Amino acid sequence: MTRVPRLSVGAPNDPELLVPFARRAEELGFAGIWTQDTLSTANFSLDGLHVLSHLAAVTDRLRLGVGVLYSGRRNPAVQARELATIDQLSRGRLTVGLGVGNEYHRESLATLGIQTDRPVRRLVEGIGVMRALWSGGDYDGELYSFTGIQSQPPPVQRPGPPIVIGARAESALRRAVRIADGWTGAAPVATQDFLRQLAVVQRAMPELGRDPASFTVSKSVYLAVEDTVRQARQHLVPAFDRAFGANPVYDGAGMADRVAIFGPPEHCVLRLRELFDAGVDELILYPMYDRVAQLEAFGELVSELDAVSRR
């Protein structure tokens, strides 16, 4: 079956740029716009959920995604209400990304009084709690247990907004297939590593009795469109140094060549098409510099990919 490519974009962190960027992305035909729930304090960043509420008011068609909320950082009952509110404000356009986060975040969160033990259990039960609150059902878990409670407002999407899990380890990938509506791959993951993870997901679906039609796969991609590969690399290398220079998980040195797609439009289209052909449903494109100009360049890829898919 030929998949229809779905391109989305990552929202900028600049408050002045946010609204015109989102409106232009909608005009250019992108499928959605995504924010992030970063815990890093090294770079300026806006809260992803508040950004989605803001964007719900200034867009009409774009799906609104967050990738990913970290389990345990927010009480799942509070989170259920926040997410349902965004789904109401956007008239049913929300996609929810969830994950356990990175180990290095937990010390600072614990210092602030946030429970960080049993992150996997908090992820699994957090999803169960939100779904129960959205439907008015009961929940009986190790961490949470209640009956007859329904969160208000209910989400527009029923039984709730689709939940996708960010994961890399095999056990986490299989967990996503088992309990979520989809899996989303991180942008700092190299394509070959992502394809190995995707193979785990694809094997797990028949093993766990999961219909592939009910499970979506997305990946965030750092993208740069320029006349030549050399020009794109010259822009990307310092951008990655600024963004990941102090990151304890991802090595910023040589990162552009490891994880990004960059170069002339035709080259970028072929590389993106490879990911769609491998089984990806949605690609979320993140510009690392000159965000407005790059958004325009990305927009040209929407029609290019559509043309390729029709051949």
Side-chain angles (χ1 to χ4, degrees), residues 146-199:
F146 56 85
T147 60
I149 301 175
Q150 183 170 4
S151 178
Q152 290 290 348
V156 171
Q157 298 175 93
R158 307 303 291 166
I163 293 174
V164 300
I165 289 180
R168 286 178 288 175
E170 181 169 352
S171 59
L173 294 166
R174 291 179 62 84
R175 184 183 309 116
V177 173
R178 190 172 67 252
I179 69 172
D181 301 302
W183 165 58
T184 187
V189 174
T191 297
Q192 290 307 311
D193 292 333
F194 170 79
L195 291 175
R196 284 191 286 270
Q197 295 162 7
L198 177 58

Side-chain angles (χ1 to χ4, degrees), residues 45-268:
S45 62
L46 300 170
D47 180 81
L49 293 185
H50 285 281
V51 168
L52 292 186
S53 292
H54 191 49
L55 295 182
V58 299
T59 59
D60 297 310
R61 181 189 52 79
L62 289 175
R63 283 203 65 84
L64 308 176
V66 58
V68 296
L69 300 169
Y70 295 112
S71 61
R73 187 184 183 197
R74 296 173 176 85
N75 177 280
V78 175
Q79 186 167 267
R81 176 172 165 79
E82 291 175 332
L83 295 171
T85 295
I86 296 172
D87 204 48
Q88 284 282 346
L89 293 173
S90 65
R91 300 178 299 281
R93 291 185 281 141
L94 178 65
T95 298
V96 180
L98 296 169
V100 298
N102 291 311
E103 180 70 33
Y104 79 93
H105 291 136
R106 293 182 189 131
E107 182 178 355
S108 59
L109 291 177
T111 301
L112 296 171
I114 298 172
Q115 292 180 302
T116 60
D117 62 311
R118 307 182 71 185
V120 173
R121 174 51 47 188
R122 293 189 184 280
L123 172 69
V124 173
E125 292 204 15
I127 292 173
V129 166
M130 290 194 298
R131 285 174 169 164
L133 290 171
W134 288 335
S135 65
D138 301 337
Y139 187 79
D140 185 18
E142 296 177 29
L143 302 175
Y144 308 99
S145 182
F146 56 85
T147 60
I149 301 175
Q150 183 170 4
S151 178
Q152 290 290 348
V156 171
Q157 298 175 93
R158 307 303 291 166
I163 293 174
V164 300
I165 289 180
R168 286 178 288 175
E170 181 169 352
S171 59
L173 294 166
R174 291 179 62 84
R175 184 183 309 116
V177 173
R178 190 172 67 252
I179 69 172
D181 301 302
W183 165 58
T184 187
V189 174
T191 297
Q192 290 307 311
D193 292 333
F194 170 79
L195 291 175
R196 284 191 286 270
Q197 295 162 7
L198 177 58
V200 172
V201 168
Q202 291 170 332
R203 289 195 302 270
M205 281 193 273
E207 292 172 6
L208 298 174
R210 190 64 188 264
D211 180 2
S214 70
F215 192 86
T216 63
V217 174
S218 61
K219 187 187 187 311
S220 295
V221 177
Y222 296 122
L223 182 72
V225 180
E226 300 287 353
D227 291 338
T228 68
V229 168
R230 182 173 178 272
Q231 286 177 323
R233 184 183 284 111
Q234 286 177 333
H235 289 290
L236 280 176
V237 170
F240 274 109
D241 287 343
R242 288 191 298 270
F244 291 94
N247 192 290
V249 175
Y250 300 108
D251 182 8
M255 197 170 182
D257 288 300
R258 290 199 308 275
V259 307
I261 292 175
F262 55 93
E266 60 272 16
H267 169 75
C268 293

Side-chain angles (χ1 to χ4, degrees), residues 25-38:
E26 192 161 64
E27 292 171 352
L28 290 170
F30 286 96
I33 188 166
W34 286 66
T35 63
Q36 296 179 326
D37 186 40
T38 179

